[in-house]
Amino acid sequence: MKVLITRKIPDAGIRLLKEHPELELDYRQGAPLSKEELIKAIKDADAIIPVIPDQIDADIINAADNLKLIATYSVGYDHINLEAAKSKSVYVSNTPGDLTESVAEHTIALMMAVGKKIVQGDKYVREGNYNYWDPMLYLGPQFMGKTLGIVGFGRIGQHVADIARDGFNMRIVYSDPKVIPNSGAERLSLEELLETSDVISLNCNLCPATHHLIDEAQLKMMKPTAILINTARGPVINEKALMRALEEEWIEGAGLDVFEEEPNVPEELRDLKNVVLTPHIASATREARIEMATMAAKNVIEVLVNGNEPVNKVA
Ligand code: DGY
């Protein structure tokens, strides 16, 4: 049975798959496959381990003759057409829980980088501008005791809350369709959260309800000193509206790990000084990546070798 792995992943997952001689690996380790290459490669595959930039749409799924499982190497699965998978009785699995700590840490890192002007300060020194100490240079917030608003209070959002509460004694508020009991955080409407938070962290899934959840009107509700962090998915923010908000300083700054049309990041956004940008690496710790590879491999083995449903079935 053929398993297509579209990108290089940690050996931990590959070793697990290789323990099963009945699995033949088509292990691509170079540049991302084009749509045409993917269509060709998936034709006789029994399972695929794609990564998030691989758009597993209806064309790809319908091009597969034997596909039983799409075991994405990610927690998010907004790059997979679940309807098309369902209509061909193909399972979809993900890797939940493996990157909670890593993404939460990156969220805090972006908050600190934006607030403490780390990137601007680094550039200033490297470019030889540090000629005298300036009491008014790069002023930013002290986070201790401030309010952190978390949009999407699942595993990652709750871990961000723990770090911010334990480390900075921050007051935590959240907006989420679900009430999270005993969280030590106050549940607010999105509007209330945006109006009262000093830092806003987006930690929700991308779905029709969260597409452009943060648009011009929402950006205008934020404090002029607010810092907005997105480690969720790019389209949760209307990027054009955000660029205007940053340009016109409706808010103090933003930290973005995700973008509306990855890997394209508009030049206008790259030119702004009050934003810190990272290339979708919030989960890029060695620990999380190994766990992702292990979980994806276990899902494949469960379906192809053991004949069961995947361990982490999403559809
Ligand atoms: C995920 O898993 O959904 C992350 O965005 C990428 O690792």
Side-chain angles (χ1 to χ4, degrees), residues 266-287:
E267 197 178 337
E268 197 186 333
L269 185 59
R270 287 186 273 132
D271 283 345
L272 290 167
K273 291 197 173 55
N274 50 355
V275 62
V276 173
L277 310 169
T278 55
H280 205 144
I281 52 166
S283 63
T285 59
R286 286 180 284 278
E287 291 82 353

Side-chain angles (χ1 to χ4, degrees), residues 17 19 36 49 108 121 131 153 156 188 197 200 244 255 260 274-275 283 308:
L17 293 169
E19 282 173 15
E36 292 66 37
I49 299 183
I108 298 291
N131 300 320
F153 208 46
I156 297 173
L188 298 179
S197 298
I200 294 142
R244 205 174 139 216
E260 269 211 80
N274 50 355
V275 62
S283 63
N308 294 326

Side-chain angles (χ1 to χ4, degrees), residues 16-311:
L16 276 181
L17 293 169
K18 282 186 174 165
E19 282 173 15
H20 299 277
E22 61 270 56
L23 300 180
E24 177 205 333
L25 305 192
D26 180 0
Y27 186 20
R28 311 294 176 108
Q29 298 176 60
L33 301 181
S34 65
K35 183 161 183 175
E36 292 66 37
E37 288 169 329
L38 210 43
I39 284 179
K40 229 167 148 188
I42 206 167
K43 189 161 174 39
D44 58 346
D46 294 272
I48 177 174
I49 299 183
V51 296
I52 42 165
D54 297 321
Q55 289 304 314
I56 309 299
D57 60 20
D59 295 340
I60 305 287
I61 295 170
N62 291 332
D65 294 335
N66 305 323
L67 198 64
K68 293 163 195 69
L69 171 67
I70 302 165
T72 188
Y73 178 87
S74 60
V75 175
Y77 44 87
D78 47 283
H79 56 301
I80 300 170
N81 186 327
L82 298 185
E83 282 305 307
K86 196 172 160 201
S87 74
K88 289 201 66 182
S89 304
V90 173
Y91 288 124
V92 178
S93 66
N94 68 343
T95 63
D98 53 2
L99 45 68
T100 305
E101 294 79 4
S102 303
V103 176
E105 287 172 9
H106 197 83
T107 302
I108 298 291
L110 284 174
M111 171 181 104
M112 297 298 281
V114 176
K116 305 294 172 190
K117 322 290 183 227
I118 301 293
V119 177
Q120 289 179 50
D122 177 88
K123 190 161 182 274
Y124 180 83
V125 175
R126 284 174 199 273
E127 291 180 352
N129 298 317
Y130 186 29
N131 300 320
Y132 51 84
W133 185 76
D134 181 345
M136 299 307 287
L137 184 65
Y138 293 141
L139 299 187
Q142 174 182 294
F143 291 113
M144 193 63 71
K146 295 268 166 55
T147 299
L148 169 63
I150 300 180
V151 179
F153 208 46
R155 275 185 300 262
I156 297 173
Q158 290 178 43
H159 201 73
V160 172
D162 290 344
I163 302 175
R165 197 188 292 108
D166 294 348
F168 300 100
N169 195 25
M170 290 181 90
R171 171 178 171 246
I172 311 297
V173 298
Y174 72 95
S175 104
D176 193 287
K178 284 194 210 135
V179 178
I180 314 294
N182 309 318
S183 66
E186 191 182 348
R187 182 166 174 252
L188 298 179
S189 68
L190 180 64
E191 290 71 23
E192 289 169 324
L193 179 146
L194 298 177
E195 281 166 9
T196 53
S197 298
D198 299 293
V199 180
I200 294 142
S201 173
L202 305 180
N203 296 107
C204 52
N205 295 335
L206 175 64
C207 61
T210 59
H211 184 266
H212 285 190
L213 185 69
I214 304 298
D215 211 324
E216 184 175 325
Q218 289 70 31
L219 288 158
K220 284 191 166 151
M221 288 174 195
M222 296 178 193
K223 296 181 182 183
T225 50
I227 290 174
L228 174 64
I229 306 299
N230 190 5
T231 53
R233 284 290 184 266
V236 175
I237 301 181
N238 179 341
E239 212 163 69
K240 277 204 171 67
L242 176 63
M243 289 190 287
R244 205 174 139 216
L246 291 169
E247 176 83 47
E248 297 177 10
E249 298 182 359
W250 306 349
I251 60 172
E252 179 159 329
L256 307 176
D257 185 52
V258 287
F259 306 93
E260 269 211 80
E261 287 181 24
E262 290 179 32
N264 299 320
V265 180
E267 197 178 337
E268 197 186 333
L269 185 59
R270 287 186 273 132
D271 283 345
L272 290 167
K273 291 197 173 55
N274 50 355
V275 62
V276 173
L277 310 169
T278 55
H280 205 144
I281 52 166
S283 63
T285 59
R286 286 180 284 278
E287 291 82 353
R289 291 282 188 255
I290 288 171
E291 195 52 24
M292 289 162 84
T294 305
M295 289 176 83
K298 284 185 176 165
N299 280 313
V300 170
I301 292 163
E302 202 56 23
V303 174
L304 295 192
V305 178
N306 299 337
N308 294 326
E309 288 195 339
V311 193

